[in-house]
């Protein structure tokens, strides 16, 4: 384990149990999201390596992504 993570865990272990649980849940959620993102990136790289890539209209892509976050 890296030193920074060890230090964080040592400090967290001194917190009340409820706080430790909340931090643990948030950390696990973050790790799961990171793992999913890495998996998506790997699939994208394999797709590009297989020659399945194409031109991307960046303005259209951003417009689509931003519209998902509008209320």
């Amino acid at each position: 384990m890296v030193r920074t993570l060890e230090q964080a865990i040592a400090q967290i272990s001194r917190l009340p149990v409820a706080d430790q649980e909340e931090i643990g849940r948030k950390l696990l959620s973050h790790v799961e999201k990171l793992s999913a993102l890495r998996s998506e990136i790997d699939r994208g790289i394999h797709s590009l390596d297989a020659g399945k890539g194409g031109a991307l209209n960046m303005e259209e892509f951003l417009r689509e992504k931003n519209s998902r976050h509008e209320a």
Side-chain angles (χ1 to χ4, degrees):
M1 196 175 336
V2 295
R3 178 125 174 89
T4 306
L5 186 55
E6 289 174 347
Q7 290 173 340
I9 290 172
Q11 289 186 21
I12 292 166
S13 71
R14 294 189 285 271
L15 295 173
V17 173
D19 292 338
Q20 291 181 38
E21 285 292 328
E22 181 180 351
I23 291 168
R25 283 190 299 274
K26 288 180 180 180
L27 180 57
L28 285 172
S29 174
H30 179 74
V31 170
E32 289 167 356
K33 289 176 185 176
L34 181 58
S35 179
L37 177 59
R38 287 186 173 163
S39 179
E40 287 183 43
I41 290 169
D42 286 343
R43 282 196 305 273
I45 289 170
H46 291 297
S47 176
L48 291 173
D49 288 346
K52 297 179 182 176
L56 175 66
N57 181 327
M58 187 56 84
E59 289 181 15
E60 182 180 324
F61 173 80
L62 291 174
R63 201 171 24 257
E64 178 185 327
K65 294 298 179 183
N66 288 332
S67 70
R68 293 181 185 177
H69 298 290
E70 294 175 355

